[in-house]
Amino acid sequence: SMALPVIATNWSAITSYLDDSVGYPLAVHSLVLSPAVSEPGDGGSRHLWAQPSMGHLRQLMRRVASDEGERERAERGRAARARMQERYSPPAIAEVLLKEWARIDAALS
């Protein structure tokens, strides 16, 4: 939302809002079992973590920091800010909630 470039591992929930048009998705090198992380009631199952590609990270950081990447960086930053305002601002979230409450109310009536 600050119109700044974002580099983030292209894995899990972040993929629902970060893509090449608004940021710099970082390639996943491999998936690894997390160290003994479990949720209450899940029977002690382990979760997968994405191990990012260090080579791709270096490429992206150089690209974002370069003078040649200035225009792209600014465009993606503006697009990211617009997406955040459109989808995740308080008014946008309020609209989603009101629609959902109306749907639930109609189902219960």
Side-chain angles (χ1 to χ4, degrees):
S1 68
M2 299 296 293
L4 297 172
V6 173
I7 298 172
T9 307
N10 196 27
W11 169 254
S12 197
I14 201 165
T15 62
S16 67
Y17 58 88
L18 184 92
D19 57 43
D20 288 355
S21 69
V22 296
Y24 297 87
L26 174 57
V28 174
H29 175 263
S30 62
L31 298 177
V32 295
L33 283 175
S34 66
V37 173
S38 63
E39 298 292 328
D42 72 358
S45 66
R46 293 192 176 189
H47 300 277
L48 292 176
W49 284 358
Q51 185 69 39
S53 164
M54 291 295 114
H56 191 224
L57 176 59
R58 282 190 292 275
Q59 289 174 353
L60 290 176
M61 290 179 77
R62 286 185 183 117
R63 182 172 162 185
V64 168
S66 74
D67 289 339
E68 296 82 28
E70 186 175 359
R71 179 180 294 160
E72 178 185 77
R73 199 171 55 232
E75 288 172 3
R76 290 187 191 197
R78 281 191 297 275
R81 180 166 175 74
R83 180 176 290 178
M84 293 303 290
Q85 289 174 329
E86 175 187 313
R87 296 183 187 177
Y88 306 108
S89 67
I93 297 300
E95 185 177 329
V96 170
L97 288 173
L98 289 172
K99 286 180 182 176
E100 186 62 13
W101 287 334
R103 184 195 64 79
I104 292 168
D105 186 49
L108 295 174
S109 297

